[in-house]
Amino acid sequence: MKKKLIALALASVSAVVLAGCSTGGRTSATGPAGGAGQTFGENVQLFDATQKVHESMQGKKVAFVPILYKGYNLTMNWGVSMERAFGNLGADFQVYDPNFDTDKMTRIISDLIARKAADVLILHNPDVGVLSKQIEDAQRAGIYTVVVNMISSRLGDAYIGVDNLAAAEDIAQRAVQDCEKRGAPKRLAIIDGPGNDAASLLWSKGVRNVLDPAGFEVVTTAHTQWQNSLAQQAAESIIQQQKNDFCGFLVTYDLNSVAVGDAVQSAVSRGVIPADSLGTYTMAADTVWCDALRAGRVTASASYDVQGVGTAAVVTTQQLVQTGAPAGSSHTVAFVPHTIVDRANVDNTTIACYKGQ
């Protein structure tokens, strides 16, 4: 069930960024610019383009608020892209790390809005509704909002991420094929995040879009708050209950799937289940997951262009600033590409095995 994705043209960038750091950048010949509405017209003078872009971004304050930052490959990868790009453009870029504390996250965002300490907020939404008020408040304050990776019920100016539904369908189809090839039971378990976030909801919907017509059953769905320890505990419990009377796990994100794969390997080593009786399938593929794949601890992933999400957020920010349209006056959703990776193709797939730095 392939779906056409909106492929963004994305450049790969890398640098090290720490929470709360600010960046400097090139100063344009005419100094900082104010509001940059309609920076360009229908025609452009070739040698003026660079100056105008830098003028439009010079001194702009950009705040990135992920659910977790330091030590988390996913969000650090985005932050690295943003830090270098905004630094090159002369913007002031700051990362605020709530460390998986949703209350702290909302307080940080509300404070930034109240102090008008940001021209653009780049937000990593923990569930579909928790940041709705903050996004609305930002709009009223004239602050642009760009949401990445997990869409919210209140859209903001732009959303950028993977097509969770299509990715779930594609990896579920791979799981079905593997199960049928092995003659395994037509039963799979889902392990996701909080369960009320967009990634988990779309993941479950995409999985069932494939499993139901194929005559497969979801034996259980475990919510683990994106915590590796909870994902491993959930997998251990499911294996204890089901033994090898199911075919494997569909885990919403890569790092949690490594913990699940460890639980499977432990059960095999203890003789609880036969070797190769359970597959572990997921979405995204960081370098830790790729190492686990090569070691045979996980099976396959719908790997998506994580690096591209951060770069696309930079591009979108520049577009919002250059047009100068009022915050909240338009709303867009854009998807980065994904593809299925396994041991056969992982080392030849450019969007697999991303790093945090």
PDB file of all heavy atoms in Angstrom, residues 179 182-191 216-220 234-250 260 264 273-274 276-280:
ATOM      1  N   CYS A 179       5.924 -13.206   8.120  1.00  0.00           N
ATOM      2  CA  CYS A 179       5.166 -14.179   8.907  1.00  0.00           C
ATOM      3  C   CYS A 179       4.615 -15.291   8.021  1.00  0.00           C
ATOM      4  O   CYS A 179       4.685 -16.481   8.369  1.00  0.00           O
ATOM      5  CB  CYS A 179       4.018 -13.495   9.647  1.00  0.00           C
ATOM      6  SG  CYS A 179       4.542 -12.351  10.952  1.00  0.00           S
ATOM      7  N   ARG A 182       7.332 -17.706   6.921  1.00  0.00           N
ATOM      8  CA  ARG A 182       7.762 -18.624   7.970  1.00  0.00           C
ATOM      9  C   ARG A 182       6.657 -19.582   8.395  1.00  0.00           C
ATOM     10  O   ARG A 182       6.898 -20.515   9.152  1.00  0.00           O
ATOM     11  CB  ARG A 182       8.223 -17.857   9.213  1.00  0.00           C
ATOM     12  CG  ARG A 182       9.431 -16.989   9.013  1.00  0.00           C
ATOM     13  CD  ARG A 182      10.120 -16.675  10.341  1.00  0.00           C
ATOM     14  NE  ARG A 182       9.223 -16.216  11.379  1.00  0.00           N
ATOM     15  CZ  ARG A 182       8.933 -14.938  11.627  1.00  0.00           C
ATOM     16  NH1 ARG A 182       9.451 -13.988  10.866  1.00  0.00           N
ATOM     17  NH2 ARG A 182       8.123 -14.616  12.616  1.00  0.00           N
ATOM     18  N   GLY A 183       5.433 -19.327   7.949  1.00  0.00           N
ATOM     19  CA  GLY A 183       4.308 -20.133   8.400  1.00  0.00           C
ATOM     20  C   GLY A 183       3.979 -19.882   9.860  1.00  0.00           C
ATOM     21  O   GLY A 183       3.454 -20.753  10.565  1.00  0.00           O
ATOM     22  N   ALA A 184       4.264 -18.679  10.328  1.00  0.00           N
ATOM     23  CA  ALA A 184       4.056 -18.320  11.728  1.00  0.00           C
ATOM     24  C   ALA A 184       2.597 -17.934  11.972  1.00  0.00           C
ATOM     25  O   ALA A 184       1.850 -17.649  11.030  1.00  0.00           O
ATOM     26  CB  ALA A 184       4.973 -17.156  12.082  1.00  0.00           C
ATOM     27  N   PRO A 185       2.181 -17.916  13.249  1.00  0.00           N
ATOM     28  CA  PRO A 185       0.815 -17.483  13.563  1.00  0.00           C
ATOM     29  C   PRO A 185       0.542 -16.079  13.038  1.00  0.00           C
ATOM     30  O   PRO A 185       1.424 -15.215  13.063  1.00  0.00           O
ATOM     31  CB  PRO A 185       0.779 -17.514  15.092  1.00  0.00           C
ATOM     32  CG  PRO A 185       1.830 -18.495  15.481  1.00  0.00           C
ATOM     33  CD  PRO A 185       2.924 -18.325  14.467  1.00  0.00           C
ATOM     34  N   LYS A 186      -0.680 -15.846  12.597  1.00  0.00           N
ATOM     35  CA  LYS A 186      -1.046 -14.536  12.050  1.00  0.00           C
ATOM     36  C   LYS A 186      -1.439 -13.592  13.185  1.00  0.00           C
ATOM     37  O   LYS A 186      -2.558 -13.080  13.257  1.00  0.00           O
ATOM     38  CB  LYS A 186      -2.181 -14.682  11.048  1.00  0.00           C
ATOM     39  CG  LYS A 186      -1.784 -15.421   9.778  1.00  0.00           C
ATOM     40  CD  LYS A 186      -2.922 -15.404   8.761  1.00  0.00           C
ATOM     41  CE  LYS A 186      -2.482 -15.991   7.434  1.00  0.00           C
ATOM     42  NZ  LYS A 186      -3.540 -15.887   6.400  1.00  0.00           N
ATOM     43  N   ARG A 187      -0.490 -13.339  14.051  1.00  0.00           N
ATOM     44  CA  ARG A 187      -0.735 -12.531  15.243  1.00  0.00           C
ATOM     45  C   ARG A 187       0.503 -11.680  15.511  1.00  0.00           C
ATOM     46  O   ARG A 187       1.623 -12.178  15.529  1.00  0.00           O
ATOM     47  CB  ARG A 187      -1.042 -13.427  16.441  1.00  0.00           C
ATOM     48  CG  ARG A 187      -2.135 -14.438  16.176  1.00  0.00           C
ATOM     49  CD  ARG A 187      -2.324 -15.424  17.327  1.00  0.00           C
ATOM     50  NE  ARG A 187      -3.098 -14.843  18.400  1.00  0.00           N
ATOM     51  CZ  ARG A 187      -2.732 -14.834  19.673  1.00  0.00           C
ATOM     52  NH1 ARG A 187      -1.548 -15.332  20.015  1.00  0.00           N
ATOM     53  NH2 ARG A 187      -3.509 -14.303  20.596  1.00  0.00           N
ATOM     54  N   LEU A 188       0.301 -10.386  15.719  1.00  0.00           N
ATOM     55  CA  LEU A 188       1.395  -9.449  15.975  1.00  0.00           C
ATOM     56  C   LEU A 188       1.035  -8.545  17.147  1.00  0.00           C
ATOM     57  O   LEU A 188      -0.150  -8.288  17.407  1.00  0.00           O
ATOM     58  CB  LEU A 188       1.677  -8.608  14.739  1.00  0.00           C
ATOM     59  CG  LEU A 188       2.382  -9.329  13.585  1.00  0.00           C
ATOM     60  CD1 LEU A 188       2.026  -8.703  12.250  1.00  0.00           C
ATOM     61  CD2 LEU A 188       3.896  -9.305  13.788  1.00  0.00           C
ATOM     62  N   ALA A 189       2.043  -8.058  17.854  1.00  0.00           N
ATOM     63  CA  ALA A 189       1.847  -7.135  18.965  1.00  0.00           C
ATOM     64  C   ALA A 189       2.351  -5.747  18.580  1.00  0.00           C
ATOM     65  O   ALA A 189       3.354  -5.617  17.875  1.00  0.00           O
ATOM     66  CB  ALA A 189       2.588  -7.634  20.203  1.00  0.00           C
ATOM     67  N   ILE A 190       1.664  -4.709  19.058  1.00  0.00           N
ATOM     68  CA  ILE A 190       2.067  -3.320  18.831  1.00  0.00           C
ATOM     69  C   ILE A 190       2.635  -2.758  20.134  1.00  0.00           C
ATOM     70  O   ILE A 190       2.032  -2.919  21.203  1.00  0.00           O
ATOM     71  CB  ILE A 190       0.877  -2.453  18.372  1.00  0.00           C
ATOM     72  CG1 ILE A 190       0.376  -2.899  16.994  1.00  0.00           C
ATOM     73  CG2 ILE A 190       1.270  -0.975  18.338  1.00  0.00           C
ATOM     74  CD1 ILE A 190      -0.872  -2.171  16.548  1.00  0.00           C
ATOM     75  N   ILE A 191       3.780  -2.103  20.033  1.00  0.00           N
ATOM     76  CA  ILE A 191       4.340  -1.353  21.162  1.00  0.00           C
ATOM     77  C   ILE A 191       4.579   0.073  20.677  1.00  0.00           C
ATOM     78  O   ILE A 191       5.331   0.289  19.722  1.00  0.00           O
ATOM     79  CB  ILE A 191       5.646  -1.988  21.678  1.00  0.00           C
ATOM     80  CG1 ILE A 191       5.354  -3.363  22.283  1.00  0.00           C
ATOM     81  CG2 ILE A 191       6.315  -1.082  22.704  1.00  0.00           C
ATOM     82  CD1 ILE A 191       6.569  -4.083  22.831  1.00  0.00           C
ATOM     83  N   PHE A 216      -4.818 -10.939   9.856  1.00  0.00           N
ATOM     84  CA  PHE A 216      -3.922 -10.960  11.011  1.00  0.00           C
ATOM     85  C   PHE A 216      -4.599 -10.308  12.215  1.00  0.00           C
ATOM     86  O   PHE A 216      -5.453  -9.435  12.070  1.00  0.00           O
ATOM     87  CB  PHE A 216      -2.624 -10.226  10.700  1.00  0.00           C
ATOM     88  CG  PHE A 216      -1.583 -11.071  10.017  1.00  0.00           C
ATOM     89  CD1 PHE A 216      -1.804 -11.578   8.744  1.00  0.00           C
ATOM     90  CD2 PHE A 216      -0.383 -11.363  10.639  1.00  0.00           C
ATOM     91  CE1 PHE A 216      -0.850 -12.344   8.100  1.00  0.00           C
ATOM     92  CE2 PHE A 216       0.581 -12.136  10.011  1.00  0.00           C
ATOM     93  CZ  PHE A 216       0.351 -12.637   8.740  1.00  0.00           C
ATOM     94  N   GLU A 217      -4.195 -10.717  13.394  1.00  0.00           N
ATOM     95  CA  GLU A 217      -4.742 -10.207  14.647  1.00  0.00           C
ATOM     96  C   GLU A 217      -3.684  -9.419  15.401  1.00  0.00           C
ATOM     97  O   GLU A 217      -2.505  -9.794  15.423  1.00  0.00           O
ATOM     98  CB  GLU A 217      -5.205 -11.379  15.515  1.00  0.00           C
ATOM     99  CG  GLU A 217      -5.698 -10.997  16.901  1.00  0.00           C
ATOM    100  CD  GLU A 217      -5.931 -12.206  17.793  1.00  0.00           C
ATOM    101  OE1 GLU A 217      -5.790 -13.348  17.305  1.00  0.00           O
ATOM    102  OE2 GLU A 217      -6.242 -11.990  18.982  1.00  0.00           O
ATOM    103  N   VAL A 218      -4.097  -8.308  16.028  1.00  0.00           N
ATOM    104  CA  VAL A 218      -3.234  -7.591  16.963  1.00  0.00           C
ATOM    105  C   VAL A 218      -3.508  -8.175  18.344  1.00  0.00           C
ATOM    106  O   VAL A 218      -4.592  -8.002  18.895  1.00  0.00           O
ATOM    107  CB  VAL A 218      -3.504  -6.078  16.950  1.00  0.00           C
ATOM    108  CG1 VAL A 218      -2.687  -5.381  18.040  1.00  0.00           C
ATOM    109  CG2 VAL A 218      -3.176  -5.478  15.594  1.00  0.00           C
ATOM    110  N   VAL A 219      -2.530  -8.891  18.900  1.00  0.00           N
ATOM    111  CA  VAL A 219      -2.771  -9.588  20.169  1.00  0.00           C
ATOM    112  C   VAL A 219      -2.832  -8.623  21.341  1.00  0.00           C
ATOM    113  O   VAL A 219      -3.548  -8.871  22.327  1.00  0.00           O
ATOM    114  CB  VAL A 219      -1.709 -10.675  20.425  1.00  0.00           C
ATOM    115  CG1 VAL A 219      -1.785 -11.746  19.369  1.00  0.00           C
ATOM    116  CG2 VAL A 219      -0.299 -10.090  20.490  1.00  0.00           C
ATOM    117  N   THR A 220      -2.087  -7.517  21.264  1.00  0.00           N
ATOM    118  CA  THR A 220      -2.121  -6.503  22.320  1.00  0.00           C
ATOM    119  C   THR A 220      -1.431  -5.247  21.824  1.00  0.00           C
ATOM    120  O   THR A 220      -0.637  -5.295  20.874  1.00  0.00           O
ATOM    121  CB  THR A 220      -1.422  -6.990  23.603  1.00  0.00           C
ATOM    122  OG1 THR A 220      -1.666  -6.064  24.666  1.00  0.00           O
ATOM    123  CG2 THR A 220       0.086  -7.137  23.396  1.00  0.00           C
ATOM    124  N   ALA A 234       7.521  -4.403  28.487  1.00  0.00           N
ATOM    125  CA  ALA A 234       6.290  -4.786  27.790  1.00  0.00           C
ATOM    126  C   ALA A 234       6.527  -5.994  26.897  1.00  0.00           C
ATOM    127  O   ALA A 234       5.722  -6.926  26.860  1.00  0.00           O
ATOM    128  CB  ALA A 234       5.768  -3.614  26.966  1.00  0.00           C
ATOM    129  N   ALA A 235       7.654  -5.988  26.179  1.00  0.00           N
ATOM    130  CA  ALA A 235       7.976  -7.115  25.298  1.00  0.00           C
ATOM    131  C   ALA A 235       8.172  -8.393  26.098  1.00  0.00           C
ATOM    132  O   ALA A 235       7.686  -9.468  25.705  1.00  0.00           O
ATOM    133  CB  ALA A 235       9.233  -6.801  24.490  1.00  0.00           C
ATOM    134  N   GLU A 236       8.874  -8.286  27.214  1.00  0.00           N
ATOM    135  CA  GLU A 236       9.089  -9.468  28.060  1.00  0.00           C
ATOM    136  C   GLU A 236       7.763 -10.038  28.548  1.00  0.00           C
ATOM    137  O   GLU A 236       7.567 -11.267  28.564  1.00  0.00           O
ATOM    138  CB  GLU A 236       9.983  -9.098  29.242  1.00  0.00           C
ATOM    139  CG  GLU A 236      11.426  -8.816  28.855  1.00  0.00           C
ATOM    140  CD  GLU A 236      12.231  -8.204  29.986  1.00  0.00           C
ATOM    141  OE1 GLU A 236      11.611  -7.808  31.008  1.00  0.00           O
ATOM    142  OE2 GLU A 236      13.471  -8.101  29.842  1.00  0.00           O
ATOM    143  N   SER A 237       6.852  -9.167  28.955  1.00  0.00           N
ATOM    144  CA  SER A 237       5.547  -9.613  29.439  1.00  0.00           C
ATOM    145  C   SER A 237       4.735 -10.286  28.334  1.00  0.00           C
ATOM    146  O   SER A 237       4.109 -11.332  28.548  1.00  0.00           O
ATOM    147  CB  SER A 237       4.773  -8.412  30.008  1.00  0.00           C
ATOM    148  OG  SER A 237       3.484  -8.791  30.416  1.00  0.00           O
ATOM    149  N   ILE A 238       4.767  -9.699  27.140  1.00  0.00           N
ATOM    150  CA  ILE A 238       4.012 -10.262  26.017  1.00  0.00           C
ATOM    151  C   ILE A 238       4.579 -11.622  25.618  1.00  0.00           C
ATOM    152  O   ILE A 238       3.837 -12.574  25.355  1.00  0.00           O
ATOM    153  CB  ILE A 238       4.011  -9.283  24.825  1.00  0.00           C
ATOM    154  CG1 ILE A 238       3.231  -8.018  25.186  1.00  0.00           C
ATOM    155  CG2 ILE A 238       3.408  -9.949  23.583  1.00  0.00           C
ATOM    156  CD1 ILE A 238       3.433  -6.873  24.215  1.00  0.00           C
ATOM    157  N   ILE A 239       5.897 -11.738  25.596  1.00  0.00           N
ATOM    158  CA  ILE A 239       6.523 -13.023  25.261  1.00  0.00           C
ATOM    159  C   ILE A 239       6.162 -14.079  26.301  1.00  0.00           C
ATOM    160  O   ILE A 239       5.861 -15.229  25.962  1.00  0.00           O
ATOM    161  CB  ILE A 239       8.059 -12.861  25.162  1.00  0.00           C
ATOM    162  CG1 ILE A 239       8.427 -12.008  23.942  1.00  0.00           C
ATOM    163  CG2 ILE A 239       8.738 -14.234  25.063  1.00  0.00           C
ATOM    164  CD1 ILE A 239       9.886 -11.592  23.895  1.00  0.00           C
ATOM    165  N   GLN A 240       6.169 -13.688  27.579  1.00  0.00           N
ATOM    166  CA  GLN A 240       5.825 -14.628  28.643  1.00  0.00           C
ATOM    167  C   GLN A 240       4.391 -15.144  28.480  1.00  0.00           C
ATOM    168  O   GLN A 240       4.107 -16.326  28.700  1.00  0.00           O
ATOM    169  CB  GLN A 240       5.985 -13.951  30.005  1.00  0.00           C
ATOM    170  CG  GLN A 240       5.842 -14.884  31.200  1.00  0.00           C
ATOM    171  CD  GLN A 240       6.895 -15.980  31.234  1.00  0.00           C
ATOM    172  OE1 GLN A 240       8.042 -15.740  30.873  1.00  0.00           O
ATOM    173  NE2 GLN A 240       6.506 -17.192  31.639  1.00  0.00           N
ATOM    174  N   GLN A 241       3.496 -14.230  28.064  1.00  0.00           N
ATOM    175  CA  GLN A 241       2.082 -14.609  27.909  1.00  0.00           C
ATOM    176  C   GLN A 241       1.831 -15.398  26.627  1.00  0.00           C
ATOM    177  O   GLN A 241       1.095 -16.382  26.623  1.00  0.00           O
ATOM    178  CB  GLN A 241       1.209 -13.349  27.911  1.00  0.00           C
ATOM    179  CG  GLN A 241       1.183 -12.602  29.222  1.00  0.00           C
ATOM    180  CD  GLN A 241       0.547 -11.233  29.086  1.00  0.00           C
ATOM    181  OE1 GLN A 241      -0.039 -10.911  28.060  1.00  0.00           O
ATOM    182  NE2 GLN A 241       0.671 -10.412  30.126  1.00  0.00           N
ATOM    183  N   GLN A 242       2.473 -14.975  25.544  1.00  0.00           N
ATOM    184  CA  GLN A 242       2.157 -15.536  24.228  1.00  0.00           C
ATOM    185  C   GLN A 242       3.129 -16.623  23.784  1.00  0.00           C
ATOM    186  O   GLN A 242       2.809 -17.380  22.855  1.00  0.00           O
ATOM    187  CB  GLN A 242       2.161 -14.406  23.172  1.00  0.00           C
ATOM    188  CG  GLN A 242       1.204 -13.269  23.453  1.00  0.00           C
ATOM    189  CD  GLN A 242      -0.252 -13.682  23.336  1.00  0.00           C
ATOM    190  OE1 GLN A 242      -0.597 -14.624  22.625  1.00  0.00           O
ATOM    191  NE2 GLN A 242      -1.126 -12.965  24.040  1.00  0.00           N
ATOM    192  N   LYS A 243       4.316 -16.680  24.423  1.00  0.00           N
ATOM    193  CA  LYS A 243       5.394 -17.584  23.978  1.00  0.00           C
ATOM    194  C   LYS A 243       5.646 -17.347  22.484  1.00  0.00           C
ATOM    195  O   LYS A 243       5.865 -16.227  22.067  1.00  0.00           O
ATOM    196  CB  LYS A 243       5.031 -19.033  24.284  1.00  0.00           C
ATOM    197  CG  LYS A 243       4.820 -19.311  25.773  1.00  0.00           C
ATOM    198  CD  LYS A 243       6.086 -19.094  26.570  1.00  0.00           C
ATOM    199  CE  LYS A 243       5.957 -19.609  28.005  1.00  0.00           C
ATOM    200  NZ  LYS A 243       5.047 -18.800  28.819  1.00  0.00           N
ATOM    201  N   ASN A 244       5.613 -18.408  21.685  1.00  0.00           N
ATOM    202  CA  ASN A 244       5.801 -18.222  20.239  1.00  0.00           C
ATOM    203  C   ASN A 244       4.486 -18.381  19.480  1.00  0.00           C
ATOM    204  O   ASN A 244       4.471 -18.712  18.301  1.00  0.00           O
ATOM    205  CB  ASN A 244       6.849 -19.196  19.696  1.00  0.00           C
ATOM    206  CG  ASN A 244       6.430 -20.647  19.857  1.00  0.00           C
ATOM    207  OD1 ASN A 244       5.653 -20.953  20.757  1.00  0.00           O
ATOM    208  ND2 ASN A 244       6.946 -21.537  19.012  1.00  0.00           N
ATOM    209  N   ASP A 245       3.369 -18.061  20.182  1.00  0.00           N
ATOM    210  CA  ASP A 245       2.057 -18.109  19.538  1.00  0.00           C
ATOM    211  C   ASP A 245       1.713 -16.774  18.891  1.00  0.00           C
ATOM    212  O   ASP A 245       0.555 -16.375  18.818  1.00  0.00           O
ATOM    213  CB  ASP A 245       0.988 -18.511  20.562  1.00  0.00           C
ATOM    214  CG  ASP A 245      -0.354 -18.832  19.881  1.00  0.00           C
ATOM    215  OD1 ASP A 245      -0.335 -19.270  18.710  1.00  0.00           O
ATOM    216  OD2 ASP A 245      -1.402 -18.619  20.519  1.00  0.00           O
ATOM    217  N   PHE A 246       2.718 -16.051  18.483  1.00  0.00           N
ATOM    218  CA  PHE A 246       2.514 -14.845  17.684  1.00  0.00           C
ATOM    219  C   PHE A 246       3.772 -14.667  16.839  1.00  0.00           C
ATOM    220  O   PHE A 246       4.749 -15.415  16.981  1.00  0.00           O
ATOM    221  CB  PHE A 246       2.191 -13.623  18.555  1.00  0.00           C
ATOM    222  CG  PHE A 246       3.324 -13.051  19.355  1.00  0.00           C
ATOM    223  CD1 PHE A 246       3.736 -11.743  19.175  1.00  0.00           C
ATOM    224  CD2 PHE A 246       3.974 -13.811  20.340  1.00  0.00           C
ATOM    225  CE1 PHE A 246       4.768 -11.199  19.924  1.00  0.00           C
ATOM    226  CE2 PHE A 246       4.986 -13.271  21.100  1.00  0.00           C
ATOM    227  CZ  PHE A 246       5.392 -11.974  20.892  1.00  0.00           C
ATOM    228  N   CYS A 247       3.765 -13.675  15.948  1.00  0.00           N
ATOM    229  CA  CYS A 247       4.809 -13.598  14.923  1.00  0.00           C
ATOM    230  C   CYS A 247       5.844 -12.510  15.172  1.00  0.00           C
ATOM    231  O   CYS A 247       6.925 -12.551  14.604  1.00  0.00           O
ATOM    232  CB  CYS A 247       4.150 -13.378  13.559  1.00  0.00           C
ATOM    233  SG  CYS A 247       5.285 -13.383  12.176  1.00  0.00           S
ATOM    234  N   GLY A 248       5.533 -11.540  16.029  1.00  0.00           N
ATOM    235  CA  GLY A 248       6.518 -10.493  16.258  1.00  0.00           C
ATOM    236  C   GLY A 248       5.917  -9.202  16.758  1.00  0.00           C
ATOM    237  O   GLY A 248       4.731  -9.127  17.101  1.00  0.00           O
ATOM    238  N   PHE A 249       6.770  -8.173  16.785  1.00  0.00           N
ATOM    239  CA  PHE A 249       6.415  -6.872  17.336  1.00  0.00           C
ATOM    240  C   PHE A 249       6.488  -5.778  16.270  1.00  0.00           C
ATOM    241  O   PHE A 249       7.424  -5.739  15.470  1.00  0.00           O
ATOM    242  CB  PHE A 249       7.388  -6.493  18.461  1.00  0.00           C
ATOM    243  CG  PHE A 249       7.322  -7.377  19.663  1.00  0.00           C
ATOM    244  CD1 PHE A 249       8.214  -8.424  19.811  1.00  0.00           C
ATOM    245  CD2 PHE A 249       6.374  -7.159  20.656  1.00  0.00           C
ATOM    246  CE1 PHE A 249       8.174  -9.247  20.929  1.00  0.00           C
ATOM    247  CE2 PHE A 249       6.325  -7.971  21.781  1.00  0.00           C
ATOM    248  CZ  PHE A 249       7.223  -9.022  21.921  1.00  0.00           C
ATOM    249  N   LEU A 250       5.518  -4.883  16.293  1.00  0.00           N
ATOM    250  CA  LEU A 250       5.524  -3.662  15.487  1.00  0.00           C
ATOM    251  C   LEU A 250       5.682  -2.504  16.462  1.00  0.00           C
ATOM    252  O   LEU A 250       4.753  -2.164  17.199  1.00  0.00           O
ATOM    253  CB  LEU A 250       4.231  -3.547  14.678  1.00  0.00           C
ATOM    254  CG  LEU A 250       4.125  -4.536  13.514  1.00  0.00           C
ATOM    255  CD1 LEU A 250       2.673  -4.783  13.145  1.00  0.00           C
ATOM    256  CD2 LEU A 250       4.898  -4.033  12.307  1.00  0.00           C
ATOM    257  N   VAL A 260      13.135  -3.814  22.540  1.00  0.00           N
ATOM    258  CA  VAL A 260      12.256  -4.967  22.300  1.00  0.00           C
ATOM    259  C   VAL A 260      13.063  -6.126  21.713  1.00  0.00           C
ATOM    260  O   VAL A 260      12.898  -7.289  22.124  1.00  0.00           O
ATOM    261  CB  VAL A 260      11.096  -4.574  21.364  1.00  0.00           C
ATOM    262  CG1 VAL A 260      10.308  -5.807  20.924  1.00  0.00           C
ATOM    263  CG2 VAL A 260      10.180  -3.575  22.064  1.00  0.00           C
ATOM    264  N   VAL A 264      13.599 -10.050  23.023  1.00  0.00           N
ATOM    265  CA  VAL A 264      13.432 -11.253  22.193  1.00  0.00           C
ATOM    266  C   VAL A 264      14.675 -12.128  22.280  1.00  0.00           C
ATOM    267  O   VAL A 264      14.587 -13.345  22.491  1.00  0.00           O
ATOM    268  CB  VAL A 264      13.134 -10.872  20.726  1.00  0.00           C
ATOM    269  CG1 VAL A 264      13.161 -12.116  19.835  1.00  0.00           C
ATOM    270  CG2 VAL A 264      11.786 -10.165  20.617  1.00  0.00           C
ATOM    271  N   ILE A 273      11.581 -19.144  23.805  1.00  0.00           N
ATOM    272  CA  ILE A 273      11.061 -19.215  22.438  1.00  0.00           C
ATOM    273  C   ILE A 273      12.179 -19.705  21.526  1.00  0.00           C
ATOM    274  O   ILE A 273      13.359 -19.532  21.846  1.00  0.00           O
ATOM    275  CB  ILE A 273      10.544 -17.840  21.941  1.00  0.00           C
ATOM    276  CG1 ILE A 273      11.656 -16.781  22.044  1.00  0.00           C
ATOM    277  CG2 ILE A 273       9.296 -17.403  22.716  1.00  0.00           C
ATOM    278  CD1 ILE A 273      11.297 -15.433  21.446  1.00  0.00           C
ATOM    279  N   PRO A 274      11.836 -20.293  20.378  1.00  0.00           N
ATOM    280  CA  PRO A 274      12.880 -20.719  19.430  1.00  0.00           C
ATOM    281  C   PRO A 274      13.539 -19.514  18.763  1.00  0.00           C
ATOM    282  O   PRO A 274      12.948 -18.429  18.662  1.00  0.00           O
ATOM    283  CB  PRO A 274      12.101 -21.549  18.395  1.00  0.00           C
ATOM    284  CG  PRO A 274      10.779 -21.833  19.023  1.00  0.00           C
ATOM    285  CD  PRO A 274      10.500 -20.712  19.960  1.00  0.00           C
ATOM    286  N   ASP A 276      14.673 -17.051  15.896  1.00  0.00           N
ATOM    287  CA  ASP A 276      14.051 -16.577  14.650  1.00  0.00           C
ATOM    288  C   ASP A 276      12.544 -16.809  14.605  1.00  0.00           C
ATOM    289  O   ASP A 276      11.956 -16.848  13.520  1.00  0.00           O
ATOM    290  CB  ASP A 276      14.703 -17.244  13.426  1.00  0.00           C
ATOM    291  CG  ASP A 276      16.194 -16.977  13.343  1.00  0.00           C
ATOM    292  OD1 ASP A 276      16.596 -15.831  13.649  1.00  0.00           O
ATOM    293  OD2 ASP A 276      16.950 -17.896  12.987  1.00  0.00           O
ATOM    294  N   SER A 277      11.905 -16.929  15.764  1.00  0.00           N
ATOM    295  CA  SER A 277      10.449 -17.124  15.770  1.00  0.00           C
ATOM    296  C   SER A 277       9.687 -15.808  15.832  1.00  0.00           C
ATOM    297  O   SER A 277       8.507 -15.760  15.479  1.00  0.00           O
ATOM    298  CB  SER A 277      10.034 -18.004  16.954  1.00  0.00           C
ATOM    299  OG  SER A 277      10.385 -17.392  18.204  1.00  0.00           O
ATOM    300  N   LEU A 278      10.348 -14.729  16.268  1.00  0.00           N
ATOM    301  CA  LEU A 278       9.699 -13.432  16.390  1.00  0.00           C
ATOM    302  C   LEU A 278      10.490 -12.368  15.643  1.00  0.00           C
ATOM    303  O   LEU A 278      11.706 -12.255  15.810  1.00  0.00           O
ATOM    304  CB  LEU A 278       9.575 -13.017  17.865  1.00  0.00           C
ATOM    305  CG  LEU A 278       8.724 -13.898  18.780  1.00  0.00           C
ATOM    306  CD1 LEU A 278       8.747 -13.354  20.207  1.00  0.00           C
ATOM    307  CD2 LEU A 278       7.292 -13.982  18.273  1.00  0.00           C
ATOM    308  N   GLY A 279       9.804 -11.573  14.832  1.00  0.00           N
ATOM    309  CA  GLY A 279      10.429 -10.441  14.158  1.00  0.00           C
ATOM    310  C   GLY A 279      10.192  -9.168  14.943  1.00  0.00           C
ATOM    311  O   GLY A 279       9.234  -9.066  15.717  1.00  0.00           O
ATOM    312  N   THR A 280      11.073  -8.180  14.747  1.00  0.00           N
ATOM    313  CA  THR A 280      10.910  -6.873  15.392  1.00  0.00           C
ATOM    314  C   THR A 280      10.989  -5.800  14.314  1.00  0.00           C
ATOM    315  O   THR A 280      12.025  -5.614  13.674  1.00  0.00           O
ATOM    316  CB  THR A 280      12.006  -6.641  16.451  1.00  0.00           C
ATOM    317  OG1 THR A 280      11.961  -7.701  17.405  1.00  0.00           O
ATOM    318  CG2 THR A 280      11.789  -5.321  17.174  1.00  0.00           C
TER     319      THR A 280
END
